[in-house]
mmCIF file of all heavy atoms in Angstrom:
data_model
loop_
_atom_site.group_PDB
_atom_site.id
_atom_site.type_symbol
_atom_site.label_atom_id
_atom_site.label_comp_id
_atom_site.label_asym_id
_atom_site.label_seq_id
_atom_site.Cartn_x
_atom_site.Cartn_y
_atom_site.Cartn_z
ATOM 1 N N ASP A 124 -12.512 39.930 -15.975
ATOM 2 C CA ASP A 124 -13.113 39.342 -17.192
ATOM 3 C C ASP A 124 -14.075 38.208 -16.774
ATOM 4 O O ASP A 124 -13.639 37.161 -16.306
ATOM 5 C CB ASP A 124 -11.948 38.804 -18.038
ATOM 6 C CG ASP A 124 -12.505 38.207 -19.339
ATOM 7 O OD1 ASP A 124 -13.705 37.882 -19.426
ATOM 8 O OD2 ASP A 124 -11.667 37.954 -20.307
ATOM 9 N N GLY A 125 -15.337 38.463 -16.948
ATOM 10 C CA GLY A 125 -16.301 37.503 -16.562
ATOM 11 C C GLY A 125 -16.180 36.131 -17.244
ATOM 12 O O GLY A 125 -16.423 35.080 -16.611
ATOM 13 N N SER A 126 -15.661 36.147 -18.451
ATOM 14 C CA SER A 126 -15.462 34.869 -19.161
ATOM 15 C C SER A 126 -14.354 33.987 -18.475
ATOM 16 O O SER A 126 -14.550 32.811 -18.367
ATOM 17 C CB SER A 126 -15.095 35.192 -20.597
ATOM 18 O OG SER A 126 -14.095 34.303 -21.072
ATOM 19 N N ILE A 127 -13.296 34.689 -18.040
ATOM 20 C CA ILE A 127 -12.284 33.904 -17.295
ATOM 21 C C ILE A 127 -12.816 33.408 -15.974
ATOM 22 O O ILE A 127 -12.616 32.236 -15.612
ATOM 23 C CB ILE A 127 -11.079 34.791 -17.012
ATOM 24 C CG1 ILE A 127 -10.492 35.399 -18.323
ATOM 25 C CG2 ILE A 127 -9.972 34.027 -16.238
ATOM 26 C CD1 ILE A 127 -9.620 34.486 -19.080
ATOM 27 N N ALA A 128 -13.620 34.255 -15.312
ATOM 28 C CA ALA A 128 -14.229 33.830 -14.032
ATOM 29 C C ALA A 128 -15.068 32.611 -14.311
ATOM 30 O O ALA A 128 -15.069 31.652 -13.513
ATOM 31 C CB ALA A 128 -15.061 34.978 -13.413
ATOM 32 N N HIS A 129 -15.838 32.634 -15.359
ATOM 33 C CA HIS A 129 -16.688 31.470 -15.669
ATOM 34 C C HIS A 129 -15.918 30.236 -15.937
ATOM 35 O O HIS A 129 -16.261 29.127 -15.557
ATOM 36 C CB HIS A 129 -17.592 31.938 -16.823
ATOM 37 C CG HIS A 129 -18.726 30.897 -17.097
ATOM 38 N ND1 HIS A 129 -18.580 29.916 -18.076
ATOM 39 C CD2 HIS A 129 -19.869 30.644 -16.486
ATOM 40 C CE1 HIS A 129 -19.705 29.138 -18.035
ATOM 41 N NE2 HIS A 129 -20.487 29.622 -17.094
ATOM 42 N N GLN A 130 -14.767 30.405 -16.652
ATOM 43 C CA GLN A 130 -13.892 29.291 -16.940
ATOM 44 C C GLN A 130 -13.412 28.626 -15.621
ATOM 45 O O GLN A 130 -13.343 27.412 -15.555
ATOM 46 C CB GLN A 130 -12.744 29.743 -17.817
ATOM 47 C CG GLN A 130 -13.094 29.970 -19.266
ATOM 48 C CD GLN A 130 -11.893 30.637 -19.970
ATOM 49 O OE1 GLN A 130 -10.788 30.410 -19.652
ATOM 50 N NE2 GLN A 130 -12.258 31.427 -20.993
ATOM 51 N N LEU A 131 -13.009 29.483 -14.675
ATOM 52 C CA LEU A 131 -12.525 28.958 -13.416
ATOM 53 C C LEU A 131 -13.569 28.185 -12.732
ATOM 54 O O LEU A 131 -13.368 27.056 -12.213
ATOM 55 C CB LEU A 131 -11.987 30.097 -12.516
ATOM 56 C CG LEU A 131 -10.693 30.701 -12.953
ATOM 57 C CD1 LEU A 131 -10.328 31.856 -11.939
ATOM 58 C CD2 LEU A 131 -9.537 29.699 -12.956
ATOM 59 N N TRP A 132 -14.712 28.704 -12.644
ATOM 60 C CA TRP A 132 -15.862 28.073 -11.975
ATOM 61 C C TRP A 132 -16.220 26.733 -12.684
ATOM 62 O O TRP A 132 -16.321 25.649 -12.060
ATOM 63 C CB TRP A 132 -17.081 29.008 -11.979
ATOM 64 C CG TRP A 132 -18.257 28.381 -11.293
ATOM 65 C CD1 TRP A 132 -18.253 27.617 -10.139
ATOM 66 C CD2 TRP A 132 -19.662 28.484 -11.576
ATOM 67 N NE1 TRP A 132 -19.502 27.179 -9.763
ATOM 68 C CE2 TRP A 132 -20.367 27.704 -10.731
ATOM 69 C CE3 TRP A 132 -20.301 29.119 -12.714
ATOM 70 C CZ2 TRP A 132 -21.790 27.601 -10.774
ATOM 71 C CZ3 TRP A 132 -21.704 28.977 -12.781
ATOM 72 C CH2 TRP A 132 -22.406 28.245 -11.820
ATOM 73 N N THR A 133 -16.328 26.792 -13.964
ATOM 74 C CA THR A 133 -16.691 25.605 -14.744
ATOM 75 C C THR A 133 -15.648 24.537 -14.587
ATOM 76 O O THR A 133 -15.987 23.342 -14.416
ATOM 77 C CB THR A 133 -16.840 25.976 -16.308
ATOM 78 O OG1 THR A 133 -17.761 26.997 -16.367
ATOM 79 C CG2 THR A 133 -17.217 24.729 -17.063
ATOM 80 N N PHE A 134 -14.371 24.921 -14.621
ATOM 81 C CA PHE A 134 -13.384 23.910 -14.432
ATOM 82 C C PHE A 134 -13.452 23.264 -13.136
ATOM 83 O O PHE A 134 -13.325 22.060 -12.995
ATOM 84 C CB PHE A 134 -11.953 24.538 -14.689
ATOM 85 C CG PHE A 134 -10.919 23.525 -14.381
ATOM 86 C CD1 PHE A 134 -10.522 22.599 -15.317
ATOM 87 C CD2 PHE A 134 -10.309 23.449 -13.103
ATOM 88 C CE1 PHE A 134 -9.604 21.568 -15.012
ATOM 89 C CE2 PHE A 134 -9.374 22.506 -12.790
ATOM 90 C CZ PHE A 134 -9.019 21.545 -13.726
ATOM 91 N N THR A 135 -13.621 24.069 -12.131
ATOM 92 C CA THR A 135 -13.649 23.501 -10.698
ATOM 93 C C THR A 135 -14.892 22.621 -10.565
ATOM 94 O O THR A 135 -14.773 21.544 -9.942
ATOM 95 C CB THR A 135 -13.732 24.653 -9.715
ATOM 96 O OG1 THR A 135 -12.552 25.438 -9.805
ATOM 97 C CG2 THR A 135 -13.763 24.119 -8.254
ATOM 98 N N ALA A 136 -15.941 22.969 -11.205
ATOM 99 C CA ALA A 136 -17.171 22.193 -11.166
ATOM 100 C C ALA A 136 -16.931 20.811 -11.842
ATOM 101 O O ALA A 136 -17.372 19.748 -11.381
ATOM 102 C CB ALA A 136 -18.343 22.878 -11.753
ATOM 103 N N ARG A 137 -16.204 20.875 -12.924
ATOM 104 C CA ARG A 137 -15.953 19.578 -13.712
ATOM 105 C C ARG A 137 -15.034 18.677 -12.823
ATOM 106 O O ARG A 137 -15.123 17.497 -12.800
ATOM 107 C CB ARG A 137 -15.310 19.895 -15.024
ATOM 108 C CG ARG A 137 -15.791 18.872 -16.014
ATOM 109 C CD ARG A 137 -15.219 19.104 -17.444
ATOM 110 N NE ARG A 137 -15.046 20.502 -17.880
ATOM 111 C CZ ARG A 137 -15.809 21.000 -18.779
ATOM 112 N NH1 ARG A 137 -16.754 20.362 -19.348
ATOM 113 N NH2 ARG A 137 -15.530 22.268 -19.160
ATOM 114 N N GLU A 138 -14.086 19.403 -12.189
ATOM 115 C CA GLU A 138 -13.235 18.640 -11.219
ATOM 116 C C GLU A 138 -14.000 17.986 -10.133
ATOM 117 O O GLU A 138 -13.763 16.872 -9.782
ATOM 118 C CB GLU A 138 -12.166 19.599 -10.707
ATOM 119 C CG GLU A 138 -11.014 19.018 -9.921
ATOM 120 C CD GLU A 138 -10.093 18.138 -10.757
ATOM 121 O OE1 GLU A 138 -10.269 18.052 -12.002
ATOM 122 O OE2 GLU A 138 -9.153 17.566 -10.160
ATOM 123 N N LEU A 139 -15.002 18.672 -9.644
ATOM 124 C CA LEU A 139 -15.843 18.213 -8.660
ATOM 125 C C LEU A 139 -16.568 16.944 -9.099
ATOM 126 O O LEU A 139 -16.647 15.884 -8.428
ATOM 127 C CB LEU A 139 -16.892 19.254 -8.249
ATOM 128 C CG LEU A 139 -17.970 18.918 -7.234
ATOM 129 C CD1 LEU A 139 -17.406 18.401 -5.940
ATOM 130 C CD2 LEU A 139 -18.886 20.108 -6.979
ATOM 131 N N GLU A 140 -17.070 16.951 -10.376
ATOM 132 C CA GLU A 140 -17.746 15.786 -10.908
ATOM 133 C C GLU A 140 -16.750 14.637 -10.994
ATOM 134 O O GLU A 140 -17.130 13.456 -10.774
ATOM 135 C CB GLU A 140 -18.247 16.103 -12.316
ATOM 136 C CG GLU A 140 -19.547 16.891 -12.352
ATOM 137 C CD GLU A 140 -19.933 17.332 -13.746
ATOM 138 O OE1 GLU A 140 -19.756 16.501 -14.679
ATOM 139 O OE2 GLU A 140 -20.349 18.441 -13.915
ATOM 140 N N ARG A 141 -15.528 14.895 -11.405
ATOM 141 C CA ARG A 141 -14.522 13.890 -11.580
ATOM 142 C C ARG A 141 -14.314 13.210 -10.240
ATOM 143 O O ARG A 141 -14.353 11.928 -10.070
ATOM 144 C CB ARG A 141 -13.192 14.450 -12.093
ATOM 145 C CG ARG A 141 -12.177 13.419 -12.416
ATOM 146 C CD ARG A 141 -10.840 14.060 -12.729
ATOM 147 N NE ARG A 141 -10.205 14.773 -11.650
ATOM 148 C CZ ARG A 141 -9.623 14.201 -10.573
ATOM 149 N NH1 ARG A 141 -9.607 12.883 -10.519
ATOM 150 N NH2 ARG A 141 -9.106 14.880 -9.573
ATOM 151 N N VAL A 142 -14.176 13.961 -9.161
ATOM 152 C CA VAL A 142 -13.896 13.448 -7.881
ATOM 153 C C VAL A 142 -15.122 12.640 -7.373
ATOM 154 O O VAL A 142 -15.001 11.586 -6.758
ATOM 155 C CB VAL A 142 -13.529 14.474 -6.843
ATOM 156 C CG1 VAL A 142 -13.351 13.918 -5.466
ATOM 157 C CG2 VAL A 142 -12.221 15.138 -7.318
ATOM 158 N N GLN A 143 -16.329 13.092 -7.677
ATOM 159 C CA GLN A 143 -17.516 12.396 -7.290
ATOM 160 C C GLN A 143 -17.558 10.998 -7.990
ATOM 161 O O GLN A 143 -17.940 10.010 -7.444
ATOM 162 C CB GLN A 143 -18.781 13.192 -7.624
ATOM 163 C CG GLN A 143 -19.095 14.264 -6.576
ATOM 164 C CD GLN A 143 -20.099 15.252 -6.982
ATOM 165 O OE1 GLN A 143 -20.344 15.411 -8.205
ATOM 166 N NE2 GLN A 143 -20.741 15.936 -5.999
ATOM 167 N N GLY A 144 -17.115 11.024 -9.254
ATOM 168 C CA GLY A 144 -17.060 9.703 -9.989
ATOM 169 C C GLY A 144 -16.023 8.812 -9.298
ATOM 170 O O GLY A 144 -16.318 7.599 -9.174
ATOM 171 N N HIS A 145 -14.926 9.404 -8.975
ATOM 172 C CA HIS A 145 -13.890 8.625 -8.292
ATOM 173 C C HIS A 145 -14.403 8.036 -6.972
ATOM 174 O O HIS A 145 -14.196 6.844 -6.654
ATOM 175 C CB HIS A 145 -12.697 9.541 -8.026
ATOM 176 C CG HIS A 145 -11.464 8.826 -7.508
ATOM 177 N ND1 HIS A 145 -10.246 9.505 -7.260
ATOM 178 C CD2 HIS A 145 -11.173 7.536 -7.253
ATOM 179 C CE1 HIS A 145 -9.384 8.658 -6.906
ATOM 180 N NE2 HIS A 145 -9.859 7.429 -6.859
ATOM 181 N N LEU A 146 -15.120 8.819 -6.262
ATOM 182 C CA LEU A 146 -15.701 8.385 -4.978
ATOM 183 C C LEU A 146 -16.600 7.169 -5.224
ATOM 184 O O LEU A 146 -16.621 6.240 -4.431
ATOM 185 C CB LEU A 146 -16.453 9.549 -4.364
ATOM 186 C CG LEU A 146 -17.034 9.359 -2.940
ATOM 187 C CD1 LEU A 146 -16.920 10.620 -2.141
ATOM 188 C CD2 LEU A 146 -18.492 8.858 -2.957
ATOM 189 N N LEU A 147 -17.442 7.265 -6.235
ATOM 190 C CA LEU A 147 -18.374 6.162 -6.522
ATOM 191 C C LEU A 147 -17.604 4.867 -6.859
ATOM 192 O O LEU A 147 -18.125 3.773 -6.508
ATOM 193 C CB LEU A 147 -19.287 6.532 -7.649
ATOM 194 C CG LEU A 147 -20.313 7.654 -7.375
ATOM 195 C CD1 LEU A 147 -21.159 8.010 -8.555
ATOM 196 C CD2 LEU A 147 -21.165 7.275 -6.183
ATOM 197 N N LEU A 148 -16.499 5.020 -7.502
ATOM 198 C CA LEU A 148 -15.581 3.815 -7.814
ATOM 199 C C LEU A 148 -15.223 3.059 -6.532
ATOM 200 O O LEU A 148 -15.214 1.837 -6.496
ATOM 201 C CB LEU A 148 -14.270 4.308 -8.377
ATOM 202 C CG LEU A 148 -14.081 4.163 -9.907
ATOM 203 C CD1 LEU A 148 -12.621 4.266 -10.262
ATOM 204 C CD2 LEU A 148 -14.659 2.814 -10.352
ATOM 205 N N LEU A 149 -14.940 3.863 -5.394
ATOM 206 C CA LEU A 149 -14.405 3.239 -4.242
ATOM 207 C C LEU A 149 -15.363 2.320 -3.481
ATOM 208 O O LEU A 149 -15.007 1.698 -2.516
ATOM 209 C CB LEU A 149 -13.841 4.274 -3.339
ATOM 210 C CG LEU A 149 -12.627 5.121 -3.929
ATOM 211 C CD1 LEU A 149 -12.014 5.969 -2.845
ATOM 212 C CD2 LEU A 149 -11.592 4.168 -4.525
ATOM 213 N N ILE A 150 -16.643 2.307 -3.841
ATOM 214 C CA ILE A 150 -17.555 1.462 -3.111
ATOM 215 C C ILE A 150 -17.800 0.176 -3.980
ATOM 216 O O ILE A 150 -18.614 -0.630 -3.637
ATOM 217 C CB ILE A 150 -18.881 2.132 -2.808
ATOM 218 C CG1 ILE A 150 -19.619 2.476 -4.022
ATOM 219 C CG2 ILE A 150 -18.638 3.352 -1.907
ATOM 220 C CD1 ILE A 150 -21.119 2.790 -3.704
ATOM 221 N N LYS A 151 -17.180 0.112 -5.163
ATOM 222 C CA LYS A 151 -17.433 -1.110 -5.974
ATOM 223 C C LYS A 151 -16.377 -2.199 -5.729
ATOM 224 O O LYS A 151 -15.456 -2.074 -5.018
ATOM 225 C CB LYS A 151 -17.292 -0.644 -7.460
ATOM 226 C CG LYS A 151 -18.316 0.493 -7.783
ATOM 227 C CD LYS A 151 -18.777 0.463 -9.229
ATOM 228 C CE LYS A 151 -18.328 1.661 -10.095
ATOM 229 N NZ LYS A 151 -18.698 1.492 -11.509
ATOM 230 N N SER A 152 -16.640 -3.345 -6.428
ATOM 231 C CA SER A 152 -15.703 -4.508 -6.260
ATOM 232 C C SER A 152 -14.426 -4.216 -7.006
ATOM 233 O O SER A 152 -14.318 -3.360 -7.898
ATOM 234 C CB SER A 152 -16.409 -5.742 -6.796
ATOM 235 O OG SER A 152 -16.394 -5.692 -8.216
ATOM 236 N N ALA A 153 -13.429 -5.054 -6.743
ATOM 237 C CA ALA A 153 -12.134 -4.930 -7.366
ATOM 238 C C ALA A 153 -12.203 -5.009 -8.840
ATOM 239 O O ALA A 153 -11.674 -4.131 -9.613
ATOM 240 C CB ALA A 153 -11.132 -5.956 -6.800
ATOM 241 N N GLN A 154 -12.947 -5.989 -9.337
ATOM 242 C CA GLN A 154 -13.157 -6.120 -10.801
ATOM 243 C C GLN A 154 -13.791 -4.853 -11.429
ATOM 244 O O GLN A 154 -13.300 -4.370 -12.401
ATOM 245 C CB GLN A 154 -14.033 -7.345 -11.065
ATOM 246 C CG GLN A 154 -13.324 -8.638 -11.291
ATOM 247 C CD GLN A 154 -13.938 -9.422 -12.414
ATOM 248 O OE1 GLN A 154 -14.998 -9.160 -12.919
ATOM 249 N NE2 GLN A 154 -13.182 -10.457 -12.827
ATOM 250 N N GLU A 155 -14.745 -4.363 -10.745
ATOM 251 C CA GLU A 155 -15.485 -3.214 -11.298
ATOM 252 C C GLU A 155 -14.519 -1.968 -11.282
ATOM 253 O O GLU A 155 -14.481 -1.211 -12.217
ATOM 254 C CB GLU A 155 -16.701 -2.882 -10.461
ATOM 255 C CG GLU A 155 -17.753 -3.960 -10.652
ATOM 256 C CD GLU A 155 -18.970 -3.773 -9.654
ATOM 257 O OE1 GLU A 155 -18.665 -3.377 -8.487
ATOM 258 O OE2 GLU A 155 -20.121 -4.118 -10.036
ATOM 259 N N ARG A 156 -13.789 -1.782 -10.223
ATOM 260 C CA ARG A 156 -12.849 -0.677 -10.174
ATOM 261 C C ARG A 156 -11.818 -0.788 -11.296
ATOM 262 O O ARG A 156 -11.525 0.227 -11.961
ATOM 263 C CB ARG A 156 -12.089 -0.673 -8.777
ATOM 264 C CG ARG A 156 -13.009 -0.378 -7.615
ATOM 265 C CD ARG A 156 -12.199 -0.236 -6.333
ATOM 266 N NE ARG A 156 -12.873 -0.796 -5.211
ATOM 267 C CZ ARG A 156 -12.592 -0.660 -3.967
ATOM 268 N NH1 ARG A 156 -11.525 0.139 -3.623
ATOM 269 N NH2 ARG A 156 -13.264 -1.182 -2.986
ATOM 270 N N VAL A 157 -11.239 -1.917 -11.432
ATOM 271 C CA VAL A 157 -10.178 -2.060 -12.455
ATOM 272 C C VAL A 157 -10.803 -1.870 -13.872
ATOM 273 O O VAL A 157 -10.205 -1.162 -14.686
ATOM 274 C CB VAL A 157 -9.462 -3.448 -12.334
ATOM 275 C CG1 VAL A 157 -8.544 -3.692 -13.527
ATOM 276 C CG2 VAL A 157 -8.672 -3.481 -11.091
ATOM 277 N N ALA A 158 -11.919 -2.482 -14.125
ATOM 278 C CA ALA A 158 -12.557 -2.323 -15.369
ATOM 279 C C ALA A 158 -12.906 -0.852 -15.694
ATOM 280 O O ALA A 158 -12.596 -0.344 -16.781
ATOM 281 C CB ALA A 158 -13.844 -3.118 -15.471
ATOM 282 N N SER A 159 -13.439 -0.165 -14.677
ATOM 283 C CA SER A 159 -13.779 1.227 -14.873
ATOM 284 C C SER A 159 -12.477 2.032 -15.180
ATOM 285 O O SER A 159 -12.505 2.947 -15.965
ATOM 286 C CB SER A 159 -14.417 1.828 -13.569
ATOM 287 O OG SER A 159 -15.623 1.183 -13.271
ATOM 288 N N PHE A 160 -11.472 1.721 -14.420
ATOM 289 C CA PHE A 160 -10.200 2.428 -14.604
ATOM 290 C C PHE A 160 -9.693 2.252 -16.056
ATOM 291 O O PHE A 160 -9.259 3.184 -16.732
ATOM 292 C CB PHE A 160 -9.125 1.855 -13.665
ATOM 293 C CG PHE A 160 -7.754 2.423 -13.866
ATOM 294 C CD1 PHE A 160 -7.425 3.669 -13.528
ATOM 295 C CD2 PHE A 160 -6.781 1.636 -14.503
ATOM 296 C CE1 PHE A 160 -6.155 4.206 -13.755
ATOM 297 C CE2 PHE A 160 -5.497 2.102 -14.811
ATOM 298 C CZ PHE A 160 -5.164 3.418 -14.387
ATOM 299 N N LEU A 161 -9.737 1.023 -16.546
ATOM 300 C CA LEU A 161 -9.225 0.686 -17.842
ATOM 301 C C LEU A 161 -10.076 1.453 -18.975
ATOM 302 O O LEU A 161 -9.531 2.011 -19.828
ATOM 303 C CB LEU A 161 -9.232 -0.759 -18.138
ATOM 304 C CG LEU A 161 -8.192 -1.530 -17.320
ATOM 305 C CD1 LEU A 161 -8.375 -3.083 -17.668
ATOM 306 C CD2 LEU A 161 -6.809 -1.108 -17.669
ATOM 307 N N ILE A 162 -11.373 1.463 -18.734
ATOM 308 C CA ILE A 162 -12.245 2.162 -19.698
ATOM 309 C C ILE A 162 -11.954 3.662 -19.683
ATOM 310 O O ILE A 162 -11.877 4.273 -20.746
ATOM 311 C CB ILE A 162 -13.706 1.865 -19.284
ATOM 312 C CG1 ILE A 162 -14.125 0.433 -19.683
ATOM 313 C CG2 ILE A 162 -14.677 2.869 -20.045
ATOM 314 C CD1 ILE A 162 -15.454 0.070 -19.207
ATOM 315 N N GLU A 163 -11.825 4.204 -18.474
ATOM 316 C CA GLU A 163 -11.480 5.620 -18.437
ATOM 317 C C GLU A 163 -10.203 5.949 -19.106
ATOM 318 O O GLU A 163 -10.105 6.905 -19.875
ATOM 319 C CB GLU A 163 -11.424 6.054 -16.948
ATOM 320 C CG GLU A 163 -11.259 7.562 -16.695
ATOM 321 C CD GLU A 163 -10.677 7.893 -15.355
ATOM 322 O OE1 GLU A 163 -10.817 7.068 -14.395
ATOM 323 O OE2 GLU A 163 -10.149 8.955 -15.233
ATOM 324 N N MET A 164 -9.184 5.128 -18.872
ATOM 325 C CA MET A 164 -7.903 5.343 -19.482
ATOM 326 C C MET A 164 -7.940 5.156 -20.978
ATOM 327 O O MET A 164 -7.345 5.993 -21.691
ATOM 328 C CB MET A 164 -6.796 4.375 -18.845
ATOM 329 C CG MET A 164 -6.302 4.858 -17.530
ATOM 330 S SD MET A 164 -5.604 6.458 -17.570
ATOM 331 C CE MET A 164 -6.035 7.132 -15.986
ATOM 332 N N SER A 165 -8.709 4.268 -21.427
ATOM 333 C CA SER A 165 -8.799 4.074 -22.876
ATOM 334 C C SER A 165 -9.458 5.306 -23.554
ATOM 335 O O SER A 165 -9.080 5.713 -24.617
ATOM 336 C CB SER A 165 -9.625 2.799 -23.120
ATOM 337 O OG SER A 165 -10.586 2.956 -24.162
ATOM 338 N N ARG A 166 -10.428 5.859 -22.815
ATOM 339 C CA ARG A 166 -11.034 7.118 -23.345
ATOM 340 C C ARG A 166 -10.038 8.268 -23.340
ATOM 341 O O ARG A 166 -9.947 9.021 -24.291
ATOM 342 C CB ARG A 166 -12.229 7.437 -22.481
ATOM 343 C CG ARG A 166 -13.054 8.653 -22.907
ATOM 344 C CD ARG A 166 -14.267 8.932 -22.032
ATOM 345 N NE ARG A 166 -14.035 8.947 -20.606
ATOM 346 C CZ ARG A 166 -13.390 9.937 -20.011
ATOM 347 N NH1 ARG A 166 -12.952 11.012 -20.667
ATOM 348 N NH2 ARG A 166 -13.146 9.928 -18.684
ATOM 349 N N ARG A 167 -9.317 8.330 -22.228
ATOM 350 C CA ARG A 167 -8.418 9.598 -22.103
ATOM 351 C C ARG A 167 -7.116 9.405 -22.854
ATOM 352 O O ARG A 167 -6.519 10.437 -23.159
ATOM 353 C CB ARG A 167 -8.219 9.812 -20.606
ATOM 354 C CG ARG A 167 -9.526 10.197 -19.882
ATOM 355 C CD ARG A 167 -9.264 10.356 -18.415
ATOM 356 N NE ARG A 167 -8.219 11.276 -18.102
ATOM 357 C CZ ARG A 167 -7.548 11.464 -16.968
ATOM 358 N NH1 ARG A 167 -7.891 10.589 -15.949
ATOM 359 N NH2 ARG A 167 -6.677 12.363 -16.766
ATOM 360 N N LEU A 168 -6.656 8.231 -23.069
ATOM 361 C CA LEU A 168 -5.420 8.082 -23.739
ATOM 362 C C LEU A 168 -5.509 8.096 -25.217
ATOM 363 O O LEU A 168 -4.465 7.835 -25.914
ATOM 364 C CB LEU A 168 -4.708 6.827 -23.263
ATOM 365 C CG LEU A 168 -4.075 6.875 -21.829
ATOM 366 C CD1 LEU A 168 -3.687 5.454 -21.375
ATOM 367 C CD2 LEU A 168 -2.860 7.813 -21.848
ATOM 368 N N ALA A 169 -6.625 8.396 -25.781
ATOM 369 C CA ALA A 169 -6.706 8.414 -27.276
ATOM 370 C C ALA A 169 -6.019 7.218 -27.831
ATOM 371 O O ALA A 169 -5.180 7.392 -28.759
ATOM 372 C CB ALA A 169 -6.179 9.723 -27.822
ATOM 373 N N SER A 170 -6.395 6.067 -27.335
ATOM 374 C CA SER A 170 -5.680 4.858 -27.761
ATOM 375 C C SER A 170 -6.241 4.310 -29.059
ATOM 376 O O SER A 170 -7.372 4.519 -29.465
ATOM 377 C CB SER A 170 -5.867 3.829 -26.607
ATOM 378 O OG SER A 170 -7.193 3.776 -26.246
#
Side-chain angles (χ1 to χ4, degrees):
Chain A
D124 181 344
S126 139
I127 303 279
H129 189 259
Q130 285 171 30
L131 286 180
W132 181 38
T133 302
F134 174 80
T135 301
R137 215 181 323 250
E138 190 66 2
L139 176 57
E140 281 173 41
R141 186 186 66 74
V142 176
Q143 279 167 339
H145 189 180
L146 186 144
L147 292 178
L148 255 197
L149 296 189
I150 65 163
K151 302 212 242 173
S152 73
Q154 268 219 349
E155 291 170 328
R156 292 187 219 192
V157 171
S159 299
F160 173 76
L161 291 176
I162 288 171
E163 185 199 340
M164 280 303 146
S165 138
R166 181 176 53 73
R167 293 175 58 195
L168 283 169
S170 46

